[in-house]
Amino acid sequence: MNKTFLEYVAEDIIGKYGTDLSRIAVVFPNKRAALFLNEHLARIAGQPVWSPAYITISDLFRQHTDLKPADPIKLICDIHKSFTKCTGIDETLDHFYGWGQLLLADFDDIDKNMADADSIFCNLKDIHELDDISYLDDEQKEMLKRFFANFSDDIDSELKKRFLSLWSHFGDIYHDYNRRLTEQGIGYEGAIYRKVASEETLHLKYDKYLFVGFNLIQKVERVLFSRLMKEGKAKFYWDFDEYYMPTTRAQQSASVPNNTASFAAYLTDFPNELDNTDRDIYANMRRPKRIRFISSPTENAQARFASNWLLENDRYKAGRKTAVVMCDESILLPIMHSLPPEADKVNITSGFPLAMTPVASLVMLLFDLYTLGLRKKGTAFNPHYMKKLMAHPYARHLAISTIGNVECGMRNEEWSATPMKNSSMNNSLNIQHSTLHTQHSSSAQPTTQHSTFNTQHSILHHIATLVKQVGIATKQEGDALTQESVFRMFTILNRLAALADSGDLLVDNTTLRRLVSQLVSSSSIPFHGEPVIGVQIMGVLETRNIDFDNVLLLSCNEGNMPKGVNDSSFIPYSIRKAHGLTTIDNKVAIYSYYFHRLLQRAGDITIAYNNSTDNGHTGEMSRFMLQLLVESGQKIDHYSLTAKNQPTPLMPKAIEKDETALSKLEEMSRLSPSAINTYIRCKLAFYYQYIAHIKEPDSDPETIDNRMFGNIFHRAAYLIYKDITDHSPVIEKAHIQAYLSNRKLLASVVDRAFEEEECNTNNGLQIIDREVIIEYITKLLKIDQQLCPFSILAMEEEAKVYTQLSFTIPPSHHLTTSPGGTLVSSAPTKQYSLTIGGIIDRLDAVTDKQTGKRRIRVVDYKTGNKPSSAIKGIEEVFDPKNIASKHSNYFLQAILYSLIVSRSKEWNAANDPVSPALLFIKQAATNGYDPTLCIDKHPISDVTVYEEEFLTKLKETVADMYSPDAAFTPTDDRKKCELCPYRMLCGL
């Protein structure tokens, strides 16, 4: 590679200003280039040098104003105050926050381009007043009328008036907002820049200002540059290439990057200190280069390829002349883990993401616990959230007495199973009105007191205290990353707490959590090291002004390069263009410059992109890559990354019954229909759940899965009928009609069921589920109304039915030789007796419409789908192939319960016929719906007809379960494995 751009700049500075540069300030777009330029100056001078001052353009503006940059969240809080004041709209900060960010970005852009806000917002109003709907046909108008309640053909419609009323205040908001900030001595970046650019006199600290490597210049920067030029204090060094520089040929080419016109103006207004005609400096893009485009199926594959790329041709030995540039910085960690050991000197400019540190996940878990995890009106913690917190590696550093002053809902053994480190600082960390006094003893439970984690400042201060506690506890470990990440997190929480204490930050807990997550996502922990030594691993923005011989550009997909280009703004494109504001064209031009400037002096270029269309990826290479293909004239080779090793699917293996498994079976004194159905479905799953006692993963309490949905429905039905039966033993139509005619009463019962099942309706899906459950309960009541009068004998916990099941295990097939030489069984026949049964959803007594006699029903509520085909015989109930298509597992449970009830003196002293019933709520809308189970389309009016056959098959199944010769084998049907919680154990 020829000399770098910064080397040419250093030579020019030494040649023109000598070695005493103490009265010179070198201004960069960012700080990183200063380290490289400083080294070049020292090397080229060959003697001691008085270094110049190195500052960024932001530093230059801030040095000449008394306004201080405000906290970004503080800025949104203040713009919200101006919004409510000027519009009279009492919008909460939670709902306004997204709007505020967009409005602040518009104000910032207006000020950086020194546009007239009044003129812009006046025009904005005008352009919308010219709107009409004459171009819509009648069908389109009708569709819009159904969508917008206030939409009409009239240009003065209520919707139009409200819209224009809002927009007409934007100018007032702009002025009030700036006054508000100025009174506090703070400002947003655009306001600070504009104030400096508008000052008549500036007290300049240095004799010369050398502006190096700028590209797109905004109006405030132009004004400042022009003023310094007139005073003879400014000089400029531009970095570009003839490939996209503003020559006559280039200006006539539509394919040339669209920032050429900008460079043309810059070179005219602010002359280049370097020779624009020097082809060694500005004609490198057309030089022969080795360019490769590599398509990759995943992001991780690109990260792993980086290791091979560094080793190939010993690129890592080139040190800082080799760069791995990430268009998507989320692949930093895979790259770090993939670096070859030969590359022992590496400089990472991006910083370690704070969001990927343990303390970040700890804080999110604490927020979840103190917001989503509160139940019983804030007097208890949801065990799901507490267990997640206790499983965190930093939980051992938290004294339980500092977590909170509420009941946790966890058993003593669950508390004691989590190692907790005693802390002498407990008393100092106990926050007033938010302390939990927990005692560990055989009979003690966490005490129930009131919690007031209902204000933002109390949550923030409390979590900050816990983070501080972690920081103190981990200090002895000497892990620099841990200490730095804890410090950064503590700083963020304190910033938010200060805003909450001052009354600026008034948001609900959901928005507060989102703000914390947003701040954490944008924070990183810098790596310590020598920046100008070793392979450079950096983001796109860090490459400005720095040149490399070898460049690997990763994740160069459309959407990453250019990065997140969008036109989100309150100000329409035409108005922005007319007033010289930043448009989407400018944003694309900036990234076009970054891309081409990075490549222009490199000789070895590899660009990788993800060609997968999964997980939101488009699989499309960047538009700039396509541009290189079309117009660069360079030979570009194409390659694809493929994995050499093909994944070998793991097949589940059977588990033989050893002595431990057999002893576990013998310890089981009670067996439920669910356990039997699990064994029929998959014997291996039965082993994991009932022998190995591996618990299923807890479901996310924020989502209502099928089990939780069914539980809430069952609870709501129980509450309704419990209320009725408490007042009347017989249920009449009027009792049910009282609920059907009062939707509020029905909804209140469902809400109570949600609360008792510890599930909050605090998101959209849960609200939808609530409405569906109300609809299902309504259907249930309408079905039951047709049965009236009837009586309910028992429900849920009151309807526990059990019986003894005796069965025989045949002799083992393992044979041994007797003393007489005869083969005999090694194990004798064994007799077993088990308690079998469970809890019935509803046990009721109805009048049989055909016989007119009393019949007992064992009713099982089902909120899922009805089976697609019918059970034809009892043998099909025990066939695992029928579970999915015929719901044979439902039949087994209902028939078993019915047989127990039919022989029970407690529930059926009169020996009434007993019927099993599966009430499928979804399909129960038709009149005359009968949920009674059918065998081969014949309703089971008396379950004892099938007793002998059913019990024979049941004993055979249970005997196989206890047989030493029958291994725990996996199911042959892989579709059943898709939803199995143990599929990971089987390698599926």
Side-chain angles (χ1 to χ4, degrees):
M1 185 182 78
N2 294 328
K3 295 177 183 177
T4 65
F5 169 67
L6 292 179
E7 285 181 288
Y8 285 113
V9 173
E11 287 180 351
D12 191 77
I13 292 176
I14 294 295
K16 292 178 178 178
Y17 305 104
T19 58
D20 184 2
L21 307 177
S22 58
R23 299 300 302 164
I24 293 176
V26 180
V27 186
F28 287 108
N30 65 337
K31 294 180 178 179
R32 182 154 300 276
L35 299 168
F36 290 83
L37 179 61
N38 199 51
E39 188 191 40
H40 293 321
L41 287 173
R43 179 176 52 81
I44 292 170
Q47 60 181 343
V49 177
W50 283 103
S51 294
Y54 297 107
I55 60 176
T56 64
I57 188 66
S58 297
D59 296 333
L60 179 59
F61 277 99
R62 292 172 184 176
Q63 287 174 359
H64 297 93
T65 179
D66 53 354
L67 292 180
K68 303 297 181 184
D71 183 276
I73 299 176
K74 164 71 173 172
L75 290 172
I76 303 298
C77 295
D78 280 347
I79 204 171
H80 173 250
K81 294 176 182 177
S82 294
F83 175 85
T84 54
K85 174 184 176 182
C86 296
T87 63
I89 300 174
D90 190 18
E91 189 72 60
T92 64
L93 182 57
D94 306 284
H95 295 157
F96 176 80
Y97 201 90
W99 286 16
Q101 290 177 311
L102 202 59
L103 196 56
L104 178 58
D106 283 340
F107 289 173
D108 185 74
D109 194 34
I110 288 171
D111 285 337
K112 284 183 177 177
N113 289 285
M114 301 190 74
D116 184 352
D118 292 327
S119 176
I120 289 175
F121 292 124
C122 178
N123 288 335
L124 184 60
K125 178 181 176 183
D126 293 342
I127 196 172
H128 286 293
E129 286 180 342
L130 293 174
D131 286 348
D132 63 46
I133 56 171
S134 58
Y135 60 91
L136 299 178
D137 57 34
D138 292 339
E139 182 181 357
Q140 290 172 314
K141 292 177 185 178
E142 185 60 31
M143 290 175 62
L144 287 174
K145 285 179 182 177
R146 290 198 298 268
F147 186 76
F148 292 106
N150 291 323
F151 192 92
S152 70
D153 297 347
D154 183 7
I155 196 66
D156 293 325
S157 68
E158 179 63 25
L159 184 62
K160 175 71 72 172
K161 289 178 181 177
R162 291 171 61 187
F163 179 78
L164 290 176
S165 173
L166 174 63
W167 289 88
S168 64
H169 289 98
F170 273 24
D172 299 331
I173 296 172
Y174 171 83
H175 294 298
D176 183 80
Y177 181 49
N178 275 279
R179 280 194 298 269
R180 186 185 301 273
L181 296 180
T182 302
E183 290 171 359
Q184 301 175 68
I186 58 177
Y188 52 92
E189 190 172 73
I192 293 174
Y193 283 20
R194 186 168 193 164
K195 185 175 185 296
V196 173
S198 303
E199 291 284 352
E200 295 183 359
T201 58
L202 292 176
H203 300 288
L204 300 173
K205 184 176 180 180
Y206 300 98
D207 297 337
K208 289 287 183 184
Y209 289 85
L210 308 183
F211 295 90
V212 179
F214 283 81
N215 44 81
L216 181 66
I217 301 176
Q218 293 171 311
K219 183 67 177 293
V220 284
E221 295 167 336
R222 282 189 175 222
V223 170
L224 182 61
F225 290 179
S226 298
R227 176 182 298 184
L228 294 175
M229 264 197 66
K230 289 179 181 178
E231 297 180 13
K233 292 180 178 292
K235 299 295 180 182
F236 301 88
Y237 293 88
W238 300 103
D239 188 11
F240 55 88
D241 195 274
E242 284 186 359
Y243 177 67
Y244 54 87
M245 72 180 295
T247 63
T248 303
R249 176 191 59 79
Q251 290 177 6
Q252 293 172 352
S253 174
S255 64
V256 171
N258 55 6
N259 55 340
T260 57
S262 299
F263 262 113
Y266 300 161
L267 291 173
T268 301
D269 298 340
F270 311 111
N272 193 1
E273 289 297 298
L274 300 178
D275 184 0
N276 293 336
T277 63
D278 189 337
R279 296 182 61 81
D280 288 335
I281 306 176
Y282 296 117
N284 292 287
M285 195 68 182
R286 298 290 185 186
R287 296 179 188 273
K289 301 177 185 293
R290 184 195 181 197
I291 302 179
R292 295 186 298 173
F293 285 0
I294 296 182
S295 62
S296 169
T298 64
E299 297 294 312
N300 281 342
Q302 296 180 59
R304 293 175 66 89
F305 170 72
S307 174
N308 296 335
W309 182 84
L310 288 170
L311 294 175
E312 185 183 52
N313 299 326
D314 291 336
R315 291 186 179 95
Y316 71 93
K317 292 183 179 179
R320 69 181 187 187
K321 294 183 179 180
T322 296
V324 178
V325 181
M326 303 168 291
C327 297
D328 179 4
E329 296 185 21
S330 65
I331 66 171
L332 173 62
L333 284 184
I335 290 176
M336 291 172 58
H337 290 296
S338 301
L339 290 174
E342 292 84 351
D344 56 343
K345 293 181 179 179
V346 175
N347 177 51
I348 302 174
T349 66
S350 302
F352 192 89
L354 180 59
M356 295 184 182
T357 60
V359 72
S361 59
L362 175 70
V363 167
M364 292 300 107
L365 287 174
L366 287 168
F367 267 103
D368 288 344
L369 180 68
Y370 293 143
T371 54
L372 304 175
L374 289 177
R375 61 175 187 169
K376 297 181 181 179
K377 298 181 180 179
T379 62
F381 286 140
N382 187 316
H384 172 83
Y385 291 100
M386 182 59 92
K387 288 177 183 177
K388 288 175 67 176
L389 177 63
M390 292 297 103
H392 193 280
Y394 286 172
R396 61 193 179 94
H397 300 305
L398 302 178
I400 296 179
S401 60
T402 64
I403 291 177
N405 171 22
V406 291
E407 179 186 342
C408 71
M410 293 171 64
R411 300 186 300 273
N412 286 325
E413 57 268 25
E414 292 176 309
W415 277 96
S416 58
T418 304
M420 303 298 294
K421 181 175 290 187
N422 291 329
S423 173
S424 61
M425 62 189 81
N426 285 353
N427 292 333
S428 62
L429 291 177
N430 289 347
I431 306 300
Q432 187 178 2
H433 65 259
S434 58
T435 354
L436 175 64
H437 304 287
T438 306
Q439 298 177 348
H440 290 283
S441 65
S442 58
S443 60
Q445 289 286 340
T447 57
T448 303
Q449 300 179 15
H450 273 295
S451 169
T452 56
F453 292 118
N454 52 5
T455 59
Q456 292 75 39
H457 67 88
S458 62
I459 292 179
L460 289 167
H461 282 298
H462 190 69
I463 295 179
T465 300
L466 295 177
V467 169
K468 180 180 178 181
Q469 183 175 335
V470 170
I472 295 172
T474 56
K475 188 174 182 179
Q476 297 176 350
E477 298 173 5
D479 187 338
L481 178 61
T482 298
Q483 289 296 299
E484 187 67 26
S485 61
V486 169
F487 174 75
R488 291 295 177 100
M489 182 60 69
F490 185 73
T491 302
I492 288 173
L493 294 172
N494 273 345
R495 276 174 55 195
L496 291 172
L499 289 171
D501 291 341
S502 65
D504 288 320
L505 186 62
L506 299 173
V507 294
D508 63 17
N509 293 331
T510 302
T511 304
L512 181 62
R513 187 189 187 283
R514 179 162 54 86
L515 289 178
V516 173
S517 178
Q518 190 178 88
L519 290 173
V520 169
S521 299
S522 61
S523 300
S524 61
I525 303 166
F527 291 96
H528 296 292
E530 180 53 55
V532 295
I533 294 178
V535 174
Q536 304 289 305
I537 299 177
M538 50 186 22
V540 174
L541 296 181
E542 281 81 29
T543 65
R544 289 176 290 183
N545 295 330
I546 306 175
D547 296 310
F548 306 97
D549 287 343
N550 312 304
V551 173
L552 172 60
L553 194 58
L554 298 177
S555 301
C556 194
N557 284 76
E558 188 66 21
N560 290 335
M561 177 63 78
K563 181 75 171 179
V565 174
N566 60 67
D567 205 17
S568 299
S569 171
F570 284 117
I571 306 172
Y573 175 85
S574 57
I575 298 288
R576 302 186 71 87
K577 187 92 172 168
H579 287 270
L581 302 182
T582 304
T583 64
I584 192 171
D585 303 326
N586 303 126
K587 297 174 183 177
V588 172
I590 292 173
Y591 272 92
S592 175
Y593 174 79
Y594 293 157
F595 178 85
H596 291 91
R597 202 224 65 80
L598 173 63
L599 306 183
Q600 65 192 26
R601 294 186 180 89
D604 180 6
I605 300 168
T606 302
I607 305 177
Y609 68 98
N610 189 338
N611 63 357
S612 170
T613 56
D614 297 334
N615 300 323
H617 292 288
T618 62
E620 183 182 0
M621 67 171 65
S622 167
R623 67 187 75 178
F624 303 142
M625 295 174 66
L626 293 172
Q627 189 174 351
L628 283 180
L629 285 171
V630 172
E631 67 171 32
S632 69
Q634 300 281 355
K635 180 180 180 297
I636 300 177
D637 298 321
H638 295 260
Y639 298 89
S640 296
L641 292 180
T642 56
K644 292 182 180 179
N645 54 327
Q646 296 296 326
T648 303
L650 297 175
M651 300 301 294
K653 296 180 180 180
I655 297 178
E656 300 293 336
K657 290 189 177 120
D658 56 12
E659 292 184 3
T660 302
L662 291 172
S663 64
K664 290 285 186 182
L665 282 168
E666 292 182 359
E667 290 173 4
M668 294 173 61
S669 59
R670 181 173 292 183
L671 203 61
S672 68
S674 297
I676 298 170
N677 278 319
T678 301
Y679 186 80
I680 294 173
R681 181 185 294 108
C682 177
K683 297 177 182 179
L684 189 57
F686 174 87
Y687 171 82
Y688 287 139
Q689 183 171 357
Y690 295 98
I691 304 301
H693 298 293
I694 299 175
K695 294 183 178 180
E696 296 183 19
D698 291 337
S699 60
D700 184 357
E702 291 304 294
T703 59
I704 299 179
D705 57 12
N706 293 337
R707 182 189 61 81
M708 179 59 73
F709 186 94
N711 288 347
I712 296 171
F713 173 85
H714 281 65
R715 191 60 185 168
Y718 172 84
L719 292 173
I720 289 173
Y721 282 117
K722 186 69 169 64
D723 175 58
I724 295 175
T725 54
D726 282 347
H727 298 86
S728 172
V730 179
I731 297 173
E732 305 286 352
K733 288 186 177 182
H735 296 142
I736 295 177
Q737 189 60 39
Y739 280 92
L740 289 174
S741 59
N742 190 342
R743 181 177 171 81
K744 288 186 177 180
L745 177 61
L746 207 58
S748 67
V749 173
V750 172
D751 290 339
R752 181 181 167 189
F754 267 90
E755 183 179 345
E756 292 187 8
E757 291 297 327
E758 300 172 6
C759 184
N760 300 318
T761 53
N762 54 9
N763 64 42
L765 288 176
Q766 291 174 345
I767 293 173
I768 292 173
D769 285 329
R770 173 182 178 272
E771 293 301 316
V772 172
I773 291 174
I774 292 174
E775 184 64 27
Y776 279 10
I777 290 293
T778 302
K779 286 184 178 181
L780 172 66
L781 293 176
K782 288 180 178 180
I783 295 166
D784 287 344
Q785 198 172 37
Q786 299 173 26
L787 293 174
C788 291
F790 68 94
S791 58
I792 291 181
L793 306 180
M795 293 181 295
E796 303 291 348
E797 291 292 332
E798 304 162 359
K800 294 181 178 179
V801 292
Y802 294 97
T803 190
Q804 292 298 120
L805 180 73
S806 298
F807 59 96
T808 302
I809 302 296
S812 172
H813 294 163
H814 298 292
L815 302 179
T816 60
T817 304
S818 67
T822 307
L823 292 175
V824 297
S825 173
S826 61
T829 299
K830 295 188 69 173
Q831 299 290 332
Y832 282 92
S833 181
L834 282 176
T835 300
I836 193 167
I839 299 174
I840 299 173
D841 289 349
R842 188 173 101 189
L843 190 65
D844 62 23
V846 299
T847 301
D848 193 301
K849 293 182 179 180
Q850 294 183 350
T851 64
K853 296 181 179 180
R854 187 175 186 261
R855 175 162 56 95
I856 296 175
R857 297 191 312 165
V858 173
V859 181
D860 194 358
Y861 300 133
K862 296 298 177 186
T863 55
N865 293 320
K866 197 174 181 180
S868 56
S869 53
I871 292 286
K872 295 182 178 180
I874 291 297
E875 69 278 358
E876 290 191 357
V877 174
F878 293 86
D879 188 343
K881 296 178 181 178
N882 296 320
I883 290 178
S885 60
K886 299 182 179 182
H887 289 329
S888 57
N889 52 331
Y890 295 170
F891 277 68
L892 186 148
Q893 176 174 294
I895 293 174
L896 176 59
Y897 286 160
S898 298
L899 286 173
I900 296 173
V901 171
S902 69
R903 301 305 182 193
S904 171
K905 294 181 180 180
E906 178 184 0
W907 301 113
N908 191 18
N911 289 324
D912 292 323
V914 180
S915 294
L918 293 178
L919 209 164
F920 289 93
I921 306 299
K922 284 185 180 180
Q923 289 80 22
T926 57
N927 290 328
Y929 172 75
D930 186 2
T932 303
L933 284 190
C934 296
I935 299 291
D936 198 16
K937 298 183 180 180
H938 299 295
I940 304 177
S941 57
D942 187 352
V943 74
T944 56
V945 174
Y946 300 96
E947 182 175 17
E948 182 178 354
E949 184 179 2
F950 182 87
L951 289 179
T952 299
K953 296 296 294 183
L954 179 63
K955 290 179 180 181
E956 289 177 2
T957 302
V958 178
D960 183 74
M961 183 189 298
Y962 277 76
S963 172
D965 298 324
F968 295 109
T969 55
T971 177
D972 296 329
D973 187 356
R974 288 291 173 264
K975 290 185 178 179
K976 294 177 183 176
C977 301
E978 292 176 359
L979 298 178
C980 178
Y982 304 108
R983 63 186 180 278
M984 299 293 290
L985 296 175
C986 298
L988 299 176

